[in-house]
Amino acid sequence: MSKARAYIKRFIPSLVPISHLERLRASLGALLGILLTGLISSYALGAGASLPLLIAPMGASAVLLFAAPASPLAQPWSIVGGNTISSLIGVTAALLIPDPVVAAAVAVGLAIAIMLLLGCLHPPSGAVALTAVLGGPAIHEAGYWFVLSPVAINSVVILLIALAFNNVTGRRYPHLAQAPTLHGTSDPAPTHRLGIVPEDLQAVLAQYGEVVDVSPEELDALIHQAQIRAFNRRSGEITCAEIMSRDVATATPETTLRQAWQTLIKHHIKALPVVTEKDGLVGIVTQTDYMKHAMLTPQGGIRQRLGNVIGFGPKTPRLVSDIMTRKVQSALPETMIAKLVPPMSDMGLHHMPVVDPDNRLLGVVTQSDLIAALFQRRLERGEERDVA
């Protein structure tokens, strides 16, 4: 009985768990996508058009665009290129091959081959090729006009809707898993230089030799997140509260730039959290902020420009609020330090403010704090192995 149950389970896909909110988001996106595509196509083609205003494969495209926008099969070139090329092949097959069954088979097979060759594989496009052959007299009479209307129009419209809807609802689309490095060089980010590297993934995928519905970049990002999680588990759950600096030099939005600069120099630090009177974190001002504003000053050498920003020159910003960075990434006291590694190594953050649930500043974790904690933990684990 257990063998039979195990065999049956092979027919059920193992899907990644998703939240109820994500299910609602995807369903609402598909609803809006199909509705607006139909309305816009109706306006563009006219209500009395002999061709269908919506072709059935758009429903399958909607599943990918709104429920799986990260899939390589759902990217813009996949839907526009795949649908257009497949419709072109389908119309050609219908015109050249009298037997509709043979024409349908040739159209679908050739469409898959060309899509794989051109890197625009889109599963619904197989149905587009089939529709071009078996769609009925109206489609046959339209000939190659079917490629433009409704296929290309439907594809472009639903793509534009997906671009807007996915980004508004917090899903990057087109999906770019690998962000550019901080310094704009070809080197991978620091956390991607050890362990599994992209070349390893490419070699394994090439050996696997089948279509995988996830991009190598997305797979690489997921693997590194899993590695960080595993490291987090092995590191002994060291939290920000254990290593953060509590006696933190700060500024307020009303602090003059000269006063803030003097504080930076006095304490030999590179950043000041900016807080309100009740210690609410509202920004951070760094030496980089001063330098950026100095470069925008229209006259003088760099020392004179910096002096103008600090407050020695006329008609220049005088307060911290004029130059501070307002979007600040922060952590909670219970945040485990392994989660600070990506932003501090890959994003170049030197300071991570630690706040309570009400966004009141409690302390700061610096790169030095993080390195010291990781080094100390490594020493402790080494001593534990020696004792064992």
Side-chain angles (χ1 to χ4, degrees):
M1 190 70 178
S2 60
K3 287 186 177 180
R5 190 179 297 112
Y7 180 76
I8 292 173
K9 291 180 76 172
R10 292 172 58 186
F11 291 87
I12 303 174
S14 179
L15 298 176
V16 176
I18 59 173
S19 65
H20 294 303
L21 183 61
E22 175 60 18
R23 292 189 181 100
L24 178 62
R25 190 202 68 83
S27 301
L28 180 60
L31 186 154
L32 291 175
I34 295 298
L35 177 61
L36 294 177
T37 300
L39 292 175
I40 294 172
S41 297
S42 176
Y43 177 79
L45 303 177
S50 57
L51 287 169
L53 302 176
L54 270 174
I55 54 173
M58 286 299 107
S61 292
V63 173
L64 285 170
L65 286 171
F66 298 100
S71 170
L73 309 179
Q75 301 314 297
W77 171 234
S78 299
I79 179 171
V80 175
N83 285 347
T84 304
I85 290 168
S86 296
S87 61
L88 185 63
I89 292 172
V91 171
T92 303
L95 291 173
L96 297 180
I97 303 174
D99 190 317
V101 174
V102 175
V106 170
V108 174
L110 191 57
I112 293 173
I114 299 300
M115 284 190 290
L116 287 171
L117 181 65
L118 298 180
C120 57
L121 186 65
H122 186 62
S125 299
V128 172
L130 202 61
T131 302
V133 177
L134 305 177
I139 292 177
H140 293 162
E141 290 176 8
Y144 288 107
W145 181 252
F146 174 73
V147 177
L148 176 62
S149 173
V151 174
I153 292 177
N154 282 183
S155 300
V156 171
V157 170
I158 199 170
L159 172 61
L160 293 176
I161 296 168
L163 281 166
F165 181 85
N166 284 323
N167 285 287
V168 167
T169 56
R171 296 292 179 269
R172 285 187 306 167
Y173 186 81
H175 191 78
L176 301 174
Q178 191 170 11
T181 58
L182 175 67
H183 303 292
T185 64
S186 59
D187 286 332
T191 56
H192 288 64
R193 297 176 192 170
L194 297 174
I196 299 174
V197 297
E199 289 76 12
D200 296 328
L201 279 178
Q202 293 289 355
V204 170
L205 290 173
Q207 185 179 13
Y208 185 67
E210 297 181 21
V211 175
V212 180
D213 192 13
V214 60
S215 68
E217 295 80 11
E218 180 75 7
L219 186 59
D220 182 55
L222 291 173
I223 288 174
H224 278 85
Q225 289 177 26
Q227 288 178 320
I228 290 173
R229 185 178 179 87
F231 169 75
N232 195 38
R233 187 178 63 253
R234 296 193 303 267
S235 66
E237 297 189 354
I238 302 173
T239 64
C240 291
E242 297 177 65
I243 69 169
M244 69 182 184
S245 302
R246 299 173 185 272
D247 184 14
V248 181
T250 63
T252 69
E254 294 76 27
T255 301
T256 66
L257 291 176
R258 186 173 183 180
Q259 290 173 332
W261 182 262
Q262 289 172 340
T263 302
L264 290 171
I265 299 302
K266 176 183 177 181
H267 293 281
H268 304 284
I269 55 179
K270 297 180 179 179
L272 287 175
V274 182
V275 297
T276 62
E277 293 180 358
K278 296 182 179 181
D279 291 332
L281 183 68
V282 293
I284 193 168
V285 61
T286 67
Q287 291 182 359
T288 302
D289 292 323
Y290 278 90
M291 295 304 297
K292 285 180 179 178
H293 257 74
M295 296 307 295
L296 294 175
T297 304
Q299 58 188 5
I302 185 61
R303 297 181 69 177
Q304 181 182 344
R305 292 183 180 187
L306 184 57
N308 290 339
V309 171
I310 293 172
F312 292 112
K315 297 181 181 180
T316 57
R318 296 288 186 177
L319 302 179
V320 165
S321 59
D322 293 316
I323 71 169
M324 70 181 188
T325 300
R326 298 179 184 274
K327 292 184 178 180
V328 184
Q329 187 167 347
S330 59
L332 295 171
E334 60 270 21
T335 301
M336 289 181 280
I337 62 172
K339 292 186 178 180
L340 305 187
V341 173
M344 285 193 162
S345 62
D346 297 350
M347 297 171 58
L349 299 182
H350 295 276
H351 302 76
M352 180 70 70
V354 181
V355 298
D356 67 11
D358 295 323
N359 203 41
R360 288 194 297 264
L361 183 70
L362 301 176
V364 170
V365 175
T366 66
Q367 284 184 339
S368 300
D369 296 327
L370 181 62
I371 292 170
L374 295 176
F375 181 67
Q376 180 63 32
R377 182 58 183 168
R378 184 61 181 258
L379 289 178
E380 291 174 357
R381 293 183 67 86
E383 290 175 357
E384 291 172 2
R385 286 195 294 269
D386 291 341
V387 171

